[in-house]
Amino acid sequence: MLVGISLENKFTNTSKPKDCAEEMSALLMEVAAERCKRSYAKVFGYFAPRLRSYALKQMGNEALAMELVQDTMTNVWQKAHLFNSEKGSPSTWIFTIARNIRFDMLRKLQNRKEDICSDDLWPVLCEQTPDQNEVSLDQQVTLQQVGQLFNKLPDKQKAVIEAIYIDGKSQQEVADQLTIPLGTVKSRTRLALQRLKDMLEDHD
Amino acid sequence: MINYHPTDKQLRQFAEGNISSALALVAAAHCDVCSKCQAKVDDVNLELASDIENIKAHTFSDPAFDKMLASITQLPVLDAPVQKSPRIELDGRFFDVPRPLQRFVKKTGNWSKLLGKVWQAPVDLGEAGMAHFIYMEKGGRVPEHTHRGTEFTLVVNGEFSDGLADYDSGDLIVMDDEHIHSPHSNADDGCLVFSIVDKPLHFTSGIARLLNPFSHLFFK
């Protein structure tokens, strides 16, 4: 596979970044148009070692760093046709791909269930095909529902709940106002909330 | 006109990728409609990319890289999937949403009435938090509340006020436990917003206080 492809090339050693932006750009277009492995090898030779240094700093681990390099450079090979020199330099494009992959890798390492992925945030590459596993959402409790259920409470409980949660009174104030013991206010509140909770769950 | 932007620090963290998922999502949606902030992000990208170019790297041939190169060039080309632009439909009206939010249009649950003229539809963001699209008709008002955690709101379409300021399409609003507000819209076409909270709201007045004991039910 490697016949005719050498990692040693002039870019790696001598060129200044700005001098080679145009050349890298041209190489990427050759990769896009003709699947030119020789051109790709030059791009790889220039960016892969730099990406490794960047990735080592970011991930602090050689294996993860190499994974980041591999995933980034794989995208460069497979999606070279998405590179647009009018939008930016090859190095910016490749940096943003690496940034995206790192973002997703870090979330995977934290064992976070897929929530928001880099393709949503930074449309550097194509958007991924939409996830077909739609999540069915739990029913919502609305204020109207709570209001209806509230009306079903026994009058004594309703009076206590209304005074506390709507008028904003303290339990002691409610006890004084209704001339009932504080303990009764507390137990009515607890019972009423429990009842509302039960009704809400039945409602689902 | 957009008046409320992410801070420069938040935009830099966004460009670096060192940012929470929730803030990243609303920042991305904001940048999609705010060319000023997008330009700032582009500048940071450029700066970070040149850091990579100027990095000291081993330039000698490395067998691990040879192997990697060989395996990569065996892979097929990938086509970019067709981009769809799903829109939010509500009561016969269609709303365009910023590109970063489009994938979540499909993950949006049913609309339900929160109050007389306020509608909401939940959006599942996994572990990033609970989000809602909220639509206020003209004259609609969300009960006064404060926040147990942080609330990020992006104005998708329309205008609203909350007693603290007036907002327009594209504005990004960050609220926490230091803010009490009561969003309401007086715009003829109402206002559609996208809002993420990491902890339940705490309603501070009127009958809406009844919701507080059950606020965890909003965030299942």
Side-chain angles (χ1 to χ4, degrees):
Chain A
M1 277 314 291
L2 281 176
V3 178
I5 300 177
S6 167
L7 288 178
E8 297 301 329
N9 62 70
K10 60 178 180 153
F11 304 109
T12 315
N13 299 314
T14 56
S15 291
K16 292 273 188 300
K18 275 178 189 141
D19 300 333
C20 77
E22 261 179 48
E23 208 143 4
M24 282 295 150
S25 202
L27 289 168
L28 277 176
M29 285 188 253
E30 278 165 29
V31 174
E34 299 158 35
R35 299 282 85 206
C36 177
K37 290 185 183 179
R38 181 181 288 270
S39 300
Y40 178 77
K42 289 180 181 170
V43 175
F44 185 93
Y46 182 75
F47 282 107
R50 287 175 164 81
L51 282 173
R52 177 165 72 178
S53 299
Y54 159 80
L56 263 175
K57 269 204 237 166
Q58 299 280 336
M59 314 295 281
N61 167 318
E62 173 75 20
L64 288 173
M66 286 304 264
E67 192 184 328
L68 201 156
V69 176
Q70 174 138 18
D71 287 358
T72 304
M73 293 311 296
T74 299
N75 273 293
V76 173
W77 169 252
Q78 296 192 298
K79 297 169 184 173
H81 53 290
L82 295 176
F83 169 68
N84 181 347
S85 60
E86 284 167 17
K87 281 193 187 165
S89 68
S91 64
T92 305
W93 187 59
I94 292 173
F95 158 71
T96 52
I97 294 172
R99 184 263 327 271
N100 285 14
I101 287 168
R102 175 176 156 268
F103 184 88
D104 291 338
M105 273 173 78
L106 289 177
R107 270 149 190 78
K108 221 161 140 194
L109 288 172
Q110 292 165 357
N111 272 322
R112 289 176 70 123
K113 284 180 217 145
E114 189 215 351
D115 44 37
I116 292 167
C117 63
S118 61
D119 282 333
D120 297 322
L121 305 174
W122 302 282
V124 182
L125 300 168
C126 49
E127 301 202 345
Q128 285 188 336
T129 41
D131 190 355
Q132 294 305 314
N133 308 319
E134 284 180 59
V135 186
S136 74
L137 287 144
D138 290 297
Q139 233 186 318
Q140 290 289 298
V141 181
T142 69
L143 189 56
Q144 283 188 331
Q145 277 176 298
V146 176
Q148 283 163 10
L149 298 176
F150 171 72
N151 282 326
K152 292 187 189 166
L153 288 175
D155 287 343
K156 283 180 180 171
Q157 291 180 10
K158 206 154 65 177
V160 171
I161 290 294
E162 199 168 346
I164 292 174
Y165 285 99
I166 299 175
D167 302 336
K169 293 195 167 122
S170 71
Q171 291 186 325
Q172 185 60 59
E173 284 169 337
V174 177
D176 295 345
Q177 177 196 331
L178 300 176
T179 56
I180 51 175
L182 181 61
T184 309
V185 175
K186 284 183 175 168
S187 63
R188 280 185 194 165
T189 308
R190 200 179 60 243
L191 284 171
L193 290 181
Q194 184 58 46
R195 200 170 174 129
L196 279 172
K197 189 163 169 266
D198 292 345
M199 289 195 289
L200 281 168
E201 275 160 10
D202 288 347
H203 212 80
D204 282 353
Chain B
M1 191 188 142
I2 301 177
N3 281 314
Y4 294 88
H5 305 267
T7 63
D8 286 355
K9 190 179 167 201
Q10 287 167 334
L11 289 173
R12 170 167 285 270
Q13 290 169 335
F14 174 63
E16 291 169 344
N18 296 324
I19 188 170
S20 75
S21 301
L23 181 55
L25 185 59
V26 287
H30 174 85
C31 289
D32 194 51
V33 293
C34 179
S35 53
K36 264 192 209 164
C37 287
Q38 184 58 57
K40 287 184 184 176
V41 170
D42 289 344
D43 284 349
V44 180
N45 283 341
L46 202 67
E47 183 194 318
L48 296 171
S50 71
D51 285 351
I52 289 191
E53 284 207 87
N54 294 323
I55 231 165
K56 288 262 177 286
H58 295 295
T59 51
F60 55 82
S61 183
D62 181 324
F65 279 145
D66 291 342
K67 244 175 93 185
M68 191 189 286
L69 175 61
S71 72
I72 287 174
T73 49
Q74 284 178 18
L75 296 170
V77 180
L78 287 187
D79 286 326
V82 184
Q83 293 188 7
K84 291 179 206 150
S85 295
R87 294 186 296 170
I88 291 276
E89 191 199 345
L90 176 61
D91 215 15
R93 278 184 70 192
F94 288 89
F95 296 90
D96 288 320
V97 301
R99 190 157 53 164
L101 300 181
Q102 287 175 1
R103 190 168 68 93
F104 301 100
V105 170
K106 284 195 74 169
K107 294 189 169 192
T108 300
N110 293 329
W111 287 89
S112 63
K113 210 173 217 177
L114 179 68
L115 277 171
K117 292 180 173 176
V118 181
W119 299 78
Q120 66 170 3
V123 181
D124 186 7
L125 296 185
E127 295 185 25
M130 190 68 212
H132 288 91
F133 281 106
I134 297 169
Y135 179 70
M136 293 169 261
E137 288 175 37
K138 183 178 185 178
R141 179 182 286 273
V142 176
E144 183 187 85
H145 60 270
T146 184
H147 313 84
R148 293 189 174 112
T150 310
E151 177 189 73
F152 300 112
T153 303
L154 184 91
V155 185
V156 176
N157 189 303
E159 293 142 48
F160 82 94
S161 307
D162 66 354
L164 302 174
D166 301 327
Y167 310 101
D168 201 350
S169 302
D171 277 335
L172 174 64
I173 304 141
V174 182
M175 294 276 157
D176 59 25
D177 62 1
E178 291 182 358
H179 305 92
I180 295 184
H181 69 163
S182 175
H184 57 277
S185 179
N186 294 319
D188 284 341
D189 289 330
C191 190
L192 177 69
V193 305
F194 177 78
S195 179
I196 307 179
V197 288
D198 52 6
K199 296 220 178 77
L201 302 182
H202 186 80
F203 293 99
T204 44
S205 70
I207 191 168
R209 283 163 170 255
L210 268 179
L211 287 172
N212 289 329
F214 310 102
S215 53
H216 63 284
L217 293 173
F218 288 90
F219 303 96
K220 277 200 284 198

